[in-house]
Amino acid sequence: MSIEDQRVRYGTDRLVFGVTAIAIVGFIMWGVLGTDSLTTASDAALTWVVTNTGVCSTSWPSSPWCS
């Protein structure tokens, strides 16, 4: 039975779509208006991930972030 023959309607959840769209636009605005603070936050997040998840010991030991 094809999807067209089923009575179930698949659609976009407007709430999820709206919240996601707002988050994306906010992140883009943060990058445009606050480049320095976004750079600081993303560098801190990258450092935390590399330090606390073992990425350097398993996946990318020769990466410049792992030195």
Side-chain angles (χ1 to χ4, degrees), residues 17-28:
F17 183 83
V19 169
T20 304
I22 290 169
I24 290 169
V25 169
F27 190 80
I28 291 170

Side-chain angles (χ1 to χ4, degrees), residues 1-2 8 13 18 20 23 26 29 31-32 35 44 54 56-57 59 61 63-64 67:
M1 178 181 287
S2 69
V8 177
D13 185 327
T20 304
M29 294 300 294
V32 170
T35 306
C56 287
S57 62
S59 301
S63 171
S67 41

Side-chain angles (χ1 to χ4, degrees), residues 6 10 15-16 20 62:
Q6 296 178 7
Y10 298 98
L15 177 64
V16 173
T20 304
S62 61

Side-chain angles (χ1 to χ4, degrees), residues 44-55:
L46 177 62
T47 301
W48 185 91
V49 168
V50 168
T51 303
N52 295 303
T53 63
V55 169

Side-chain angles (χ1 to χ4, degrees), residues 33-49:
L33 300 174
T35 306
D36 292 337
S37 68
L38 179 59
T39 301
T40 301
S42 61
D43 285 344
L46 177 62
T47 301
W48 185 91
V49 168

